[in-house]
Amino acid sequence: MMRRIELYDTTLRDGAQSEDVSFTLDDKLRITEALDGLGIHYVEGGWPGSNPRDEEFFRAVRGLQLRQARIAAFGATRRAVVGKTWDLHVRDDLRISLEENLDVIRDSVAFLRRRVDEVIFDAEHFFDGHARNPGYALAAIAAAAEAGATLVCLCDTRGGSLPAQIGPAVDAAQGAVTGTPLGIHCHNDAELAVANSLEALERGCVQVQGTMNGLGERCGNANLVSIIATLQLKRGWACVTPEQLTRLAEVSHLIDELANLEPNKRQAYVGQSAFAHKGGLHVSAVQKNAETYEHIDPAVVGNVQRVLVSDLAGRSNLLAKAAQFGIDLASDQPAVRRLLAELKELESRGYAYEGADASFELLMRKALEGDRRRFFRLIGFRVIDEKRHETEAPIAEATIMLEGPDGETEHTAAQGNGPVHALDSALRKALVKFYPEIESVRLHDYKVRVLGGDEGTGAVVRVLIESGDEHERWSTVGVSHNVIEASWQALVDSMDYKLHRSRPAA
């Protein structure tokens, strides 16, 4: 029979202890629903009694219509501390006798077991304790099992153990708690949390604890994203359904968004770069057979194959990218040569199209059509950024004059939180009179990078803008010595892309 592994998510507690991460109550409820939809078996909501937000979560979560996930609460022993299994902590932190600590464990587990169906004993610092005093570490988990713990979770709390240490310690733990299932909880201080978790599961643990995207204190916890995909696709063990697995990338990105973190594009399985191909030889190979450079089908985890374009791009990259956008470059060799030449020249000036697919699609259309179809023509713009008093907020205003599709002139102005916001607002205000679909476009992200530091504030800058509507998101790029001009280029590409999509050429 297929082996089944329980997934215990502690993003809302351990993950919330990450530096720069703070979830609101609404965030925590949305994450809980997302984890439930992903197929997570246990969602640890926090530590009730430690702070008002966690207490409110446990009241509010009752109103969710969860289909699978059970809500777990973290807690303490009767001494208001976690369950210690390392004798060093008992002596130097708790400052009680070793035997008294065993009594604390027994009393606390027995008290809870009389009141709730499941009690999971987190054996804090088990692997460090087993390395220093194996007899005592095993006695501590045996005390929890004897008192009625339904599962003993072995914790690598400092995150410094190696897989070669994890395996024998798990074997020893099984002998000490015969009949009580084991779980594994690893931290990532040596970049081994996933590897250590997998080793423990191979040795017989039935539950794995971790966080989405590896969030957590210090260097983080075991990354459940990687663990779920590896167990399901590499070991053939049951964690979630195939349909739930296709939501892995979506849930991963949602949690980064709610944590206000930039998603790690190089994250295994779900990162934007996980199935991205840049080298011409690689692209040529994956176009013939994706298995040549992709260890799984990206679609099974909700990801997609991407072909990158840069000054290193070869013919295979360009043809693959064109096919992705539904553009037939294969039959037009002069267009391919023109595109390669223009791409190399533009990237020598600082343009980068790896993260600006929409600008690159427009570039391809120009190479194929001989010129770029324009929906409007700029006559001129002016941006004013004024601060009148040190206690007042700056005032940004942009004025734009452009020529519409039938030669008519449109002159508009708009204010914004800053010069780019004002320019964006003025541009869409002018265009929406000719193209109502522009109303749905929203600016989602804006990034500026200085290219070369020798010129200081006079250096060339590259602006990347992410825009979107109700159907998709797209990215555009602009480059100039002037950050407003670079922003304008990216904004115009964004609007052009939207109009090309909504008004294809006849």
Side-chain angles (χ1 to χ4, degrees):
M1 293 180 62
M2 183 181 292
R3 187 174 164 198
R4 185 166 183 79
I5 303 297
E6 289 182 348
L7 304 172
Y8 184 109
D9 181 277
T10 181
T11 302
L12 301 183
R13 185 185 66 83
D14 264 357
Q17 293 175 190
S18 296
E19 186 174 7
D20 301 326
V21 171
S22 179
F23 295 123
T24 66
L25 174 61
D26 184 61
D27 292 338
K28 295 182 73 167
L29 294 173
R30 287 186 63 189
I31 290 171
T32 300
E33 291 181 312
L35 294 175
D36 178 56
L38 181 61
I40 300 297
H41 304 104
Y42 295 88
V43 175
E44 188 174 75
W47 189 340
S50 67
N51 63 81
R53 186 179 301 169
D54 282 1
E55 291 182 12
E56 179 60 26
F57 169 82
F58 284 99
R59 285 192 291 268
V61 77
R62 295 175 182 272
L64 299 184
Q65 300 297 314
L66 301 180
R67 291 166 292 178
Q68 176 172 322
R70 301 196 69 183
I71 302 302
F74 190 76
T77 66
R78 62 173 170 81
R79 288 186 58 89
V81 294
V82 294
K84 303 290 189 179
T85 62
W86 186 5
D87 60 346
L88 179 143
H89 271 257
V90 177
R91 289 192 305 267
D92 296 352
D93 185 7
L94 301 186
R95 297 190 176 184
I96 60 177
S97 70
L98 298 183
E99 186 56 41
E100 184 179 353
N101 181 59
L102 298 182
D103 289 338
V104 167
I105 293 172
R106 291 189 193 96
D107 294 348
S108 303
V109 171
F111 176 85
L112 293 170
R113 192 67 181 88
R114 291 192 295 270
R115 290 163 173 79
V116 294
D117 293 337
E118 293 186 66
V119 176
I120 297 173
F121 176 71
D122 279 0
E124 291 283 327
H125 297 279
F126 172 77
F127 293 98
D128 288 313
H130 186 266
R132 306 287 183 87
N133 187 339
Y136 187 74
L138 296 174
I141 63 172
E146 291 163 4
T150 52
L151 182 140
V152 171
C153 188
L154 309 175
C155 302
D156 186 30
T157 313
R158 293 197 307 173
S161 299
L162 304 177
Q165 299 169 283
I166 296 290
V170 173
D171 291 343
Q174 288 179 321
V177 296
T178 304
T180 300
L182 296 177
I184 182 68
H185 177 119
C186 295
H187 285 254
N188 202 37
D189 298 73
E191 195 68 21
L192 291 169
V194 170
N196 286 339
S197 298
L198 295 175
E199 176 65 18
L201 294 170
E202 292 284 356
R203 297 295 186 116
C205 288
V206 300
Q207 182 187 94
V208 59
Q209 297 190 3
T211 61
M212 295 297 290
N213 303 329
L215 296 178
E217 198 165 19
R218 304 187 313 276
C219 302
N221 287 47
N223 188 345
L224 277 184
V225 172
S226 301
I227 290 171
I228 292 169
T230 298
L231 292 178
Q232 196 95 356
L233 301 174
K234 306 294 186 178
R235 294 296 288 117
W237 294 348
C239 298
V240 299
T241 67
E243 182 182 1
Q244 289 169 332
L245 189 62
T246 63
R247 301 187 61 188
L248 192 63
E250 172 193 340
V251 175
S252 166
H253 299 157
L254 170 68
I255 289 173
D256 273 338
E257 181 179 330
L258 294 177
N260 198 28
L261 298 174
E262 183 70 21
N264 176 7
K265 65 192 305 182
R266 293 173 180 80
Q267 184 174 181
Y269 294 104
V270 300
Q272 189 180 27
S273 298
F275 302 96
H277 307 282
K278 182 173 179 178
L281 292 175
H282 288 215
V283 173
S284 179
V286 297
Q287 291 301 300
K288 298 167 187 170
N289 183 348
E291 194 175 0
T292 54
Y293 284 99
E294 292 179 353
H295 66 116
I296 66 165
D297 175 1
V300 302
V301 292
N303 210 338
V304 295
Q305 182 188 95
R306 295 173 61 237
V307 174
L308 306 180
V309 289
S310 72
D311 58 356
L312 300 175
R315 183 175 179 276
S316 297
N317 295 56
L318 299 184
L319 295 181
K321 199 68 175 176
Q324 178 183 325
F325 289 125
I327 300 173
D328 180 16
L329 274 180
S331 61
D332 193 336
Q333 294 306 310
V336 174
R337 288 193 293 272
R338 284 195 301 269
L339 182 56
L340 275 170
E342 185 167 10
L343 178 64
K344 293 177 188 295
E345 193 275 331
L346 287 170
E347 293 218 348
S348 72
R349 287 160 45 189
Y351 286 83
Y353 292 96
E354 292 178 20
D357 277 355
S359 288
F360 186 69
E361 179 179 344
L362 296 174
L363 198 65
M364 282 194 291
R365 293 186 182 281
K366 177 183 175 184
L368 186 63
E369 299 163 5
D371 195 10
R372 176 170 162 181
R373 185 161 61 113
R374 292 285 186 177
F375 294 89
F376 59 92
R377 183 180 68 85
L378 174 70
I379 298 174
F381 70 75
R382 179 176 63 184
V383 178
I384 301 172
D385 204 19
E386 180 181 11
K387 187 174 177 67
R388 296 173 180 170
H389 191 276
E390 63 179 13
T391 61
E392 296 180 358
I395 299 173
E397 181 180 291
T399 304
I400 286 180
M401 185 179 293
L402 54 80
E403 183 181 284
D406 298 322
E408 60 271 65
T409 298
E410 183 65 32
H411 190 188
T412 59
Q415 289 188 333
N417 297 329
V420 176
H421 183 216
L423 191 63
D424 177 47
S425 299
L427 177 59
R428 69 177 63 246
K429 184 177 179 181
L431 289 178
V432 76
K433 296 182 179 180
F434 308 119
Y435 308 110
E437 60 265 42
I438 292 297
E439 182 67 32
S440 67
V441 178
R442 293 289 180 269
L443 193 154
H444 290 288
D445 200 5
Y446 175 87
K447 298 184 179 73
V448 179
R449 182 177 178 185
V450 176
L451 305 178
D454 294 342
E455 299 178 60
T457 53
V460 171
V461 297
R462 179 166 63 226
V463 170
L464 285 170
I465 286 177
E466 184 182 6
S467 307
D469 57 18
E470 64 273 23
H471 302 297
E472 62 173 326
R473 290 194 181 194
W474 59 88
S475 297
T476 52
V477 62
V479 173
S480 175
H481 283 281
N482 185 308
V483 68
I484 302 299
E485 166 63 17
S487 302
W488 169 258
Q489 293 173 18
L491 287 169
V492 168
D493 271 10
S494 177
M495 300 303 169
D496 268 357
Y497 176 84
K498 170 65 176 179
L499 293 172
H500 272 91
R501 289 289 187 179
S502 61
R503 297 170 183 250

